[in-house]
Amino acid sequence: MTSFQEKVLRATTRVPRGRVATYADIARAIGRPRATRAVGQALRRNPHAPKVPCHRVVASDGRLCGFAGGLRKKARLLRGEGVEVQARKHADGTRTYADLFVDLRKYRFVFLEGEFNPSVKKRLARLQKDVQKGKNLSPTFRS
């Protein structure tokens, strides 16, 4: 497994039950904002399902797509976690599984910016240590 695939799987594990992320969200979270298709390919090869919940990843418009178990199963898994999955109707009133979607305004998980960037992680770790030591972080509040 490549380091890129490991980063994708690690980011996907951060998406909690009852929330979804997009392929683009995960690509941005790992510092590769143009790699949305590669994120999909990495999740396609997920050897750790369901521990790595790839069913919680959807398209940028909220559509369900790209699940090895099929879209029906993906919808069932999301509904089981409390995510409302809706179906768009065609002009003739019919629905298909390809038209299933999630309201991203309601269920989207937002990653912390730079959460998977090593230099940001180091700065955050130093900041946490300083806070634990009781260091005053703001120069305007020094006595």
Side-chain angles (χ1 to χ4, degrees):
M1 182 173 294
T2 68
S3 66
F4 176 82
Q5 290 170 322
E6 289 174 1
K7 287 178 187 176
V8 168
L9 297 179
R10 197 169 354 147
T12 304
T13 61
R14 294 267 301 116
V15 181
R17 288 178 59 86
R19 295 288 183 175
V20 296
T22 67
Y23 295 98
D25 290 339
I26 291 176
R28 279 192 299 274
I30 64 170
R32 300 283 302 276
R34 297 184 68 194
T36 55
R37 288 180 182 236
V39 166
Q41 289 301 312
L43 290 174
R44 181 174 179 236
R45 295 180 178 91
N46 176 9
H48 306 294
K51 191 175 182 181
V52 176
C54 54
H55 65 280
R56 296 180 190 150
V57 183
V58 298
S60 291
D61 61 358
R63 275 181 306 111
L64 302 192
C65 61
F67 190 67
L71 296 181
R72 187 179 295 186
K73 184 174 182 181
K74 186 171 190 168
R76 189 173 63 243
L77 289 168
L78 288 171
R79 285 182 181 128
E81 295 181 355
V83 176
E84 185 180 337
V85 178
Q86 302 169 349
R88 290 187 179 106
K89 285 186 182 178
H90 293 276
D92 62 1
T94 60
R95 296 178 183 168
T96 65
Y97 283 101
D99 299 315
L100 296 174
F101 72 100
V102 171
D103 183 357
L104 291 175
R105 292 172 301 195
K106 188 173 181 180
Y107 295 105
R108 182 181 232 153
F109 174 74
V110 179
F111 290 94
L112 296 173
E113 189 172 331
E115 185 173 351
F116 296 93
N117 182 331
S119 64
V120 172
K121 284 176 79 171
K122 285 179 186 175
R123 280 186 282 162
L124 286 172
R126 277 196 305 262
L127 182 63
Q128 285 176 333
K129 284 181 184 177
D130 288 347
V131 168
Q132 288 171 353
K133 290 178 183 176
K135 286 188 177 178
N136 192 346
L137 301 176
S138 175
T140 59
F141 292 103
R142 287 190 182 146
S143 50

